[in-house]
Amino acid sequence: GDFPESLTSLVVVGAELDDSIFPLLADLPNLRELNLSRTNVTGQGVMVLAGSASLRELTLPELSISLDEISRLEKSLPLCSLRIRVRDW
């Protein structure tokens, strides 16, 4: 289902989640924090969020994103703190 527009924080750690989540998240005008550690999302998928005006903290799984994608995200989300988590399991 859809998320409420008032959603400001979403933490989904260790879930069977993939890039299909991003179109649902892209239209959330108040989303400030997103943690997708230990999920199956990819750097290519997360680029849907590039340019988000509200996102301030983004945590992603390390194995799913390239250095080029990290660089592009940092440029497109200048106000956002980007964290890449190393898989520990």
Side-chain angles (χ1 to χ4, degrees), residues 31-70:
L31 187 63
R32 295 182 60 81
E33 176 189 5
L34 180 59
N35 185 334
L36 300 173
S37 298
R38 295 190 304 205
T39 64
N40 296 316
V41 299
T42 68
Q44 183 177 358
V46 78
M47 293 308 292
V48 170
L49 301 178
S52 167
S54 62
L55 202 57
R56 296 295 180 266
E57 190 172 312
L58 177 60
T59 305
L60 299 170
E62 180 261 337
L63 295 177
S64 68
I65 188 166
S66 71
L67 290 176
D68 179 58
E69 289 164 334
I70 290 170

